[in-house]
Amino acid sequence: MPYGDGMNARVRSEERRAEIVRAALEVIAERGYRGASLASVAERVGLTQQGLLHHFPTKDALLVAVLEERDQWDALPDTQWRVDLLASLVEYNAMRPGIIQTFSALLGESVTEGHPAREYFTERYTRVRASMATALRAEYGDALPNGLTPERTAPLLIAVMDGLQYQWLLDPESVDMPGAFRDFLTLLGER
């Protein structure tokens, strides 16, 4: 096989994997992880289940790919997080309800024992708390105006972000997610 044909096959395979991940995001958003089947994802992209298994050997492998893809969209080196950028992230999330719905559904399901995303979310929250504490320290020093340390405030900040996402997903007409988050940031700076 000429070099170019191998390269084209690899590119086609990567494109197909990306298509499968997008379809899995949609199916998980609609049905949740437990309700999503490999067959439904395969059907959405015009493959047999066996064809899908060629790209992702298990449902868990597909789930990890979905979560990693979602993280790539939000990727920003830890050293670049700033409190003001968090408000921009919340605004960005308000423009992509399907992704937020998938993330929220998986997060909710992952709290159960044996869920394949449990370890992913546990590790993710450890990293995110550390990143938020670093951003808060850069903004406020060792203590915020309210007296809390960045490490004590970081879990609260994340809880507000995630909690607002759930409220917004349930009632987007009544919950101004970006506005409410900006209000919370104002509270962080008050005594």
Side-chain angles (χ1 to χ4, degrees):
M1 176 181 343
Y3 174 76
D5 290 344
M7 180 74 85
N8 288 339
R10 187 170 60 246
V11 168
R12 282 192 304 274
S13 178
E14 289 172 9
E15 288 172 351
R16 183 56 120 175
R17 284 178 58 90
E19 182 183 10
I20 292 167
V21 168
R22 281 191 305 274
L25 272 164
E26 293 170 3
V27 172
I28 292 168
E30 293 166 6
R31 305 176 189 182
Y33 175 74
R34 296 199 195 282
S37 69
L38 290 176
S40 60
V41 174
E43 180 181 329
R44 195 162 288 205
V45 294
L47 288 173
T48 64
Q49 188 168 335
Q50 196 61 32
L52 185 136
L53 291 172
H54 169 74
H55 296 280
F56 296 97
T58 65
K59 186 177 176 184
D60 291 356
L62 181 56
L63 173 63
V64 169
V66 165
L67 292 170
E68 288 173 348
E69 179 73 12
R70 189 248 180 221
D71 277 353
Q72 287 303 311
W73 296 334
D74 294 345
L76 186 66
D78 291 346
T79 57
Q80 292 184 8
W81 274 117
R82 296 188 327 252
V83 173
D84 62 318
L85 288 178
L86 295 177
S88 297
L89 176 61
V90 173
E91 289 173 10
Y92 176 56
N93 284 344
M95 295 185 291
R96 52 191 196 144
I99 299 301
I100 301 309
Q101 183 179 18
T102 301
F103 177 83
S104 298
L106 288 171
L107 174 58
E109 290 179 357
S110 74
V111 300
T112 59
E113 279 301 316
H115 192 279
R118 186 179 181 107
E119 182 178 342
Y120 165 85
F121 279 110
T122 300
E123 291 172 4
R124 181 182 186 281
Y125 274 110
T126 298
R127 286 189 322 271
V128 171
R129 280 191 302 272
S131 294
M132 293 302 112
T134 299
L136 289 165
R137 180 165 273 103
E139 179 81 14
Y140 298 104
D142 290 335
L144 279 72
N146 59 23
L148 292 176
T149 65
E151 289 73 21
R152 296 269 317 267
T153 306
L156 302 174
L157 177 62
I158 297 162
V160 168
M161 291 176 82
D162 288 352
L164 283 171
Q165 286 182 169
Y166 278 108
Q167 292 180 60
W168 172 72
L169 286 169
L170 290 168
D171 193 1
E173 298 301 316
S174 297
V175 178
D176 174 10
M177 184 169 62
F181 186 71
R182 285 190 301 275
D183 291 344
F184 177 74
L185 290 180
T186 300
L187 293 175
L188 286 181
E190 294 181 358
R191 289 194 182 273

